[in-house]
Amino acid sequence: MPKGSSVSIFKWEVVDPRPGEAVAPRQRLSWGKTIGLGAQHVVAMFGATFVFPLVMGLDANLAIMFSGICTLLFLLVCSNRVPSYLGTSAAFVAGVAAIRAQGGDSADVTGAILVAGVVLLLVGVLVHFVGARVIHAVLPPAVTGAVVMLIGFNLAPVVAAQYWPQDQWVALLTATFMVCAAVLLPGFWSRIAVVLALVFGFVISLIFDGLFGPINSCGGEGCTATVHERVSWAGVKAADWIGLPSGTLRDGVSVIHAPSFSLTFILLVLPGVIALIAENTGHVKAVAEMTGENLDPYMGRALGADGAATALASLFGGSPTTTYAENIGVMGATRVYSTATYYVAAIVAILLGLCPKFGAIVGATPGGVLGGITVVLYGMIGLVGAKIWVENRIDFGDPVNVVGLAGGLIAGIGGVTLKFTDGFSLGGIALGTILVIVYFHLVNRSGRRTERTSEKATEAL
């Protein structure tokens, strides 16, 4: 390592660009403007970063704090060449729901995700030394799109059974508002539609508490309904202003906890690694396109850094991470690609995570509000799979793509189970992913279609 290189990584060229002129990753504006842009990145990542921990039954405050820590790790591993924020990943939500449906607790969840993070780390190491073509050979866009689709659509029963029934009218109003906000509001406001929908849902819930009084509902399928207010501030009043995330989760496991490991549960979340590979690859390519820099040499680093970050967060009970399209959207709008803004965003997120009262406010989110937000978010996850197909011009007139993917999709979305012994079975997303990969490559024996698709994928991403 050249002398002084460990210091130079934290030096940015200070620039004062003309209107419309881009700011490169190793440049920055004045610290005042940089701090303002960093705060904007926090707002952009905020909605999904705390909503997904809530729906996975993990602590949102811890997730936000680790999103900051993991972003710092990502920037360092990528030598400040890939500006990106690591927020909570949605790729494991369906697997987590399956774990809990089979009686697993939060320690089982974080243990399974930790292993998935290590697997992604190893994939990153492989890509760093071999190149990204190995990804496209094994996971061409036809396969990746199918896996992402079944991950998203597998979540439909979770919304129907757990969140929507808690307060159907608040859920409907919140979902309607979120759809309108994401499409009809201008620019930056549309990018924070999740946050706006959360605020809207809180307000509607408070109004309904005042107009109609408490509601008689419960938090999931098979539970006992109780009479309660939609919004309770008891936890907020009791929480401290400063401190580490603490307390217990809904299943009685401590917020900060050691993971536990089960092969059955690990297999349920491993398909999420495929989604993370697709996300990270696409995001690095998108940043390269915007900045005009060749970031292919950093592809393996980005994958490995995200895997290491996911494993690190899960080791302490935190949520899995991924690079965030929301923040890439902010860069596209501002044309400021400075990694300095992401250091600011990461520090702000860590400080928010060290405020238990803030976490208590997040934890007070009414179930009906989550029902409205997740019914849109989960559908969007599934449709990302279709987006991958469209962008890569997947030909469904070709039986390789139709027949090769069909069985795995239905098995994954429908919850088909393959039982091996009394203590071990494959089902849902895990079985669906295996069938998608195996069936596709089984009938695509020549590999010519995979190769052509891979080239299109590389160009599109």
Side-chain angles (χ1 to χ4, degrees):
M1 181 180 291
K3 184 178 180 180
S5 61
S6 61
V7 176
S8 63
I9 192 175
F10 295 110
K11 288 185 178 179
W12 295 270
E13 178 190 358
V14 181
V15 296
D16 185 16
R18 294 185 297 272
E21 186 178 355
V23 178
R26 298 305 301 270
Q27 296 176 333
R28 68 169 175 85
L29 302 174
S30 66
W31 278 118
K33 293 180 179 178
T34 297
I35 291 172
L37 286 167
Q40 185 172 333
H41 278 296
V42 172
V43 175
M45 68 85 184
F46 178 78
T49 293
F50 84 80
V51 166
F52 287 126
L54 288 180
V55 299
M56 287 190 287
L58 300 174
D59 185 71
N61 228 36
L62 189 65
I64 290 171
M65 185 178 76
F66 266 105
S67 75
I69 295 172
C70 292
T71 296
L72 296 179
L73 173 64
F74 182 90
L75 294 171
L76 291 172
V77 171
C78 294
S79 301
N80 285 349
R81 297 295 300 275
V82 185
S84 192
Y85 192 91
L86 262 60
T88 304
S89 171
F92 298 104
V93 173
V96 170
I99 289 173
R100 295 195 181 279
Q102 294 186 26
D105 62 13
S106 295
D108 295 314
V109 165
T110 52
I113 294 175
L114 189 154
V115 174
V118 173
V119 170
L120 182 59
L121 170 60
L122 295 176
V123 170
V125 173
L126 177 65
V127 170
H128 182 71
F129 289 104
V130 177
R133 283 192 172 274
V134 65
I135 295 177
H136 300 309
V138 178
L139 301 172
V143 171
T144 303
V147 173
V148 173
M149 179 174 287
L150 69 85
I151 286 174
F153 292 161
N154 189 268
L155 291 165
V158 178
V159 177
Q162 183 170 349
Y163 296 113
W164 191 274
Q166 294 187 46
D167 195 335
Q168 60 177 2
W169 297 112
V170 168
L172 178 61
L173 290 172
T174 303
T176 304
F177 177 88
M178 183 173 167
V179 169
C180 294
V183 178
L184 301 180
L185 292 181
F188 176 73
W189 295 104
S190 65
R191 294 193 188 95
I192 60 170
V194 174
V195 177
L196 297 179
L198 174 82
V199 174
F200 175 84
F202 257 104
V203 172
I204 290 296
S205 297
L206 288 169
I207 292 173
F208 278 22
D209 278 340
L211 291 177
F212 308 117
I215 189 171
N216 186 20
S217 70
C218 66
E221 187 177 12
C223 67
T224 303
T226 59
V227 177
H228 60 90
E229 292 185 328
R230 295 167 179 82
V231 181
S232 173
W233 300 114
V236 178
K237 294 176 181 177
D240 296 327
W241 280 102
I242 300 175
L244 288 170
S246 61
T248 57
L249 301 169
R250 292 196 302 263
D251 57 6
V253 176
S254 296
V255 165
I256 299 178
H257 60 267
S260 61
F261 303 97
S262 163
L263 178 60
T264 300
F265 296 152
I266 290 169
L267 291 174
L268 291 174
V269 301
L270 279 181
V273 174
I274 297 174
L276 290 185
I277 292 172
E279 288 175 355
N280 279 277
T281 303
H283 291 176
V284 172
K285 290 291 187 181
V287 172
E289 181 70 25
M290 290 190 295
T291 61
E293 298 187 16
N294 178 21
L295 296 179
D296 283 351
Y298 294 90
M299 185 72 73
R301 291 195 189 192
L303 290 167
D306 189 14
T310 292
L312 175 64
S314 300
L315 183 63
F316 294 93
S319 302
T321 62
T322 188
T323 49
Y324 256 30
E326 291 90 335
N327 296 90
I328 291 177
V330 171
M331 287 193 295
T334 62
R335 292 182 58 78
V336 176
Y337 311 115
S338 172
T339 51
T341 62
Y342 284 99
Y343 278 96
V344 172
I347 292 170
V348 171
I350 293 171
L351 294 176
L352 286 175
L354 294 174
C355 178
K357 193 170 288 290
F358 169 77
I361 294 174
V362 172
T365 305
V369 177
L370 288 177
I373 291 174
T374 54
V375 77
V376 180
L377 281 179
Y378 291 173
M380 290 172 64
I381 295 170
L383 290 175
V384 166
K387 181 172 178 284
I388 292 173
W389 286 341
V390 171
E391 288 180 345
N392 292 281
R393 300 185 180 91
I394 303 302
D395 180 13
F396 284 103
D398 186 338
V400 169
N401 294 324
V402 176
V403 182
L405 304 177
L409 276 172
I410 292 302
I413 296 173
V416 173
T417 299
L418 187 63
K419 185 175 179 179
F420 293 90
T421 67
D422 290 339
F424 178 73
S425 62
L426 283 174
I429 297 173
L431 179 61
T433 299
I434 292 172
L435 292 181
V436 163
I437 295 173
V438 171
Y439 284 171
F440 180 85
H441 288 290
L442 180 66
V443 296
N444 188 33
R445 289 172 296 176
S446 67
R448 288 197 298 270
R449 293 185 180 88
T450 301
E451 185 178 351
R452 291 199 301 271
T453 307
S454 299
E455 291 173 354
K456 291 179 180 179
T458 302
E459 294 171 359
L461 290 172

